């Protein structure tokens, strides 16, 4: 009886440990962003030229923020946002700026929310 209880206890501890390790590895290096802060960052930087969604009245020919998450994984932007994006759109040069890891996480979470909304609206 004691041996069985001990085995069950050890199995539970190992399972919890494996779950914790798997969760950690799945999120290694990942920041958890805040959508509201991300929206504020987008309004201060991105939405000067980019629109939120395709079809919104465009200020420039820059792609919509929602379209980034529809085209590729948004985490692909992390390094560029950390090091400073320098991109040209046709005859316009994107302003150079760098963000903190927390700001990057906030902006990417906001952009993902826009991509999810665009996906949901496309299905209607």
């Amino acid at each position: 009886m004691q041996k069985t209880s001990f085995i069950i206890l050890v199995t539970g501890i190992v399972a919890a440990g494996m779950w914790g390790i798997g969760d950690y590895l799945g999120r290694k290096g990942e920041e958890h962003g805040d959508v509201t802060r991300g929206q504020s960052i987008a309004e201060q930087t991105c939405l000067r030229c980019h629109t939120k969604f395709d079809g919104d009245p465009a200020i420039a020919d820059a792609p919509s923020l929602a379209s980034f998450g529809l085209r590729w994984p948004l985490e692909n932007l992390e390094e560029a946002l950390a090091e400073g994006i320098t991109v040209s759109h046709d005859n316009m040069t994107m302003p150079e700026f760098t963000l903190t890891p927390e700001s990057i996480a906030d902006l990417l979470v906001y952009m993902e929310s826009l991509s999810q909304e665009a996906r949901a609206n496309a299905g209607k």
Side-chain angles (χ1 to χ4, degrees):
M1 177 73 174
Q2 284 183 333
K3 186 176 181 180
T4 304
S5 297
F6 178 73
I7 291 172
I8 291 171
L9 176 65
V10 169
T11 302
I13 291 170
V14 169
M18 294 303 287
W19 174 81
I21 290 169
D23 186 57
Y24 170 75
L25 291 175
R27 297 179 184 278
K28 186 177 177 186
E30 175 182 290
E31 298 288 332
H32 301 282
D34 180 87
V35 173
T36 304
R37 288 192 311 251
Q39 180 178 0
S40 177
I41 293 165
E43 289 170 351
Q44 294 170 23
T45 56
C46 312
L47 294 175
R48 293 177 188 169
C49 298
H50 295 270
T51 59
K52 290 182 183 181
F53 302 99
D54 290 337
D56 287 349
I59 299 170
D61 293 328
S64 71
L65 294 182
S67 71
F68 286 96
L70 300 175
R71 295 178 186 171
W72 55 79
L74 288 173
E75 57 269 9
N76 291 355
L77 294 175
E78 285 182 61
E79 186 176 343
L81 290 170
E83 293 178 359
I85 294 179
T86 53
V87 178
S88 294
H89 299 292
D90 297 323
N91 61 349
M92 299 180 68
T93 300
M94 187 165 158
E96 187 174 337
F97 62 89
T98 54
L99 299 172
T100 65
E102 181 181 70
S103 296
I104 292 168
D106 294 340
L107 181 58
L108 293 180
V109 166
Y110 175 65
M111 290 174 69
E112 179 58 31
S113 74
L114 294 177
S115 297
Q116 289 173 358
E117 188 175 337
R119 280 187 204 95
N121 289 335
K124 290 182 181 180

